[in-house]
């Protein structure tokens, strides 16, 4: 099983980026794919997850959107109105199950979810 995130970079506050996560080694359409991020000195944070329903962290709701392209075995994280607090390494992950982690993991201050599989992350830096 492989998950490869890409698309990170340097962007100014208020800007946009689209991250990609290419999956291989498993039946893509059968499983939920999530995103989490890790910023220096901060707790890891679950950002989003998609399968038949989609969940978003309170901190990104209304600004980020995740969606799947089954033909490409790819999940995207579209990030708009980026803020300096969004600076982090972003990872895609899965447990190879057909549901996302419980919604409580996406609430501010809640413990993060530990996925079984995640790939190398991609760095997003929001700075002027």
């Amino acid at each position: 099983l492989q998950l490869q995130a890409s698309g990170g970079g340097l962007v100014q506050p208020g800007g946009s980026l689209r991250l990609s996560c290419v999956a291989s080694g498993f039946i893509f359409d059968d499983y939920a794919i999530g995103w989490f991020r890790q910023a220096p000195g901060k707790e890891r944070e679950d950002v989003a997850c998609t399968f038949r329903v989609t969940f978003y962290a309170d901190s990104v709701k209304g600004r980020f959107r995740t969606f799947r392209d089954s033909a490409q075995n790819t999940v995207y994280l579209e990030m708009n109105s980026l803020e300096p607090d969004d600076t982090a390494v972003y990872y895609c992950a899965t447990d190879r199950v057909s549901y996302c982690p419980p919604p409580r993991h996406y609430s501010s201050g809640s413990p993060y979810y530990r996925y079984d599989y995640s790939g190398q992350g991609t760095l997003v830096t929001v700075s002027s």
Side-chain angles (χ1 to χ4, degrees):
L1 183 155
Q2 283 194 327
L3 296 164
Q4 181 61 55
S6 63
L10 174 64
V11 62
Q12 292 189 339
S16 299
L17 276 177
R18 177 185 282 190
L19 306 184
S20 301
C21 172
V22 179
S24 61
F26 63 102
I27 303 173
F28 178 80
D29 286 343
D30 287 353
Y31 302 127
I33 305 288
W35 293 90
F36 65 88
R37 64 187 180 185
Q38 179 74 65
K42 293 186 179 180
E43 186 84 344
R44 189 168 112 177
E45 182 183 17
D46 292 298
V47 174
C49 180
T50 179
F51 189 55
R52 292 193 175 92
V53 292
T54 305
F55 298 100
Y56 295 99
D58 291 342
S59 58
V60 307
K61 207 170 291 183
R63 301 187 297 120
F64 289 14
R65 183 174 76 102
T66 187
F67 56 98
R68 311 165 69 112
D69 181 344
S70 296
Q72 301 294 327
N73 273 19
T74 301
V75 177
Y76 298 96
L77 183 67
E78 195 171 79
M79 307 185 295
N80 300 305
S81 302
L82 283 161
E83 304 166 354
D85 280 350
D86 295 317
T87 296
V89 178
Y90 285 73
Y91 300 83
C92 53
T94 186
D95 276 351
R96 290 201 302 180
V97 294
S98 57
Y99 48 85
C100 287
R104 67 177 182 271
H105 293 284
Y106 302 96
S107 299
S108 298
S110 295
Y112 61 85
Y113 181 79
R114 294 181 184 272
Y115 286 93
D116 290 338
Y117 305 96
S118 62
Q120 281 191 323
T122 185
L123 175 63
V124 173
T125 304
V126 184
S127 175
S128 55

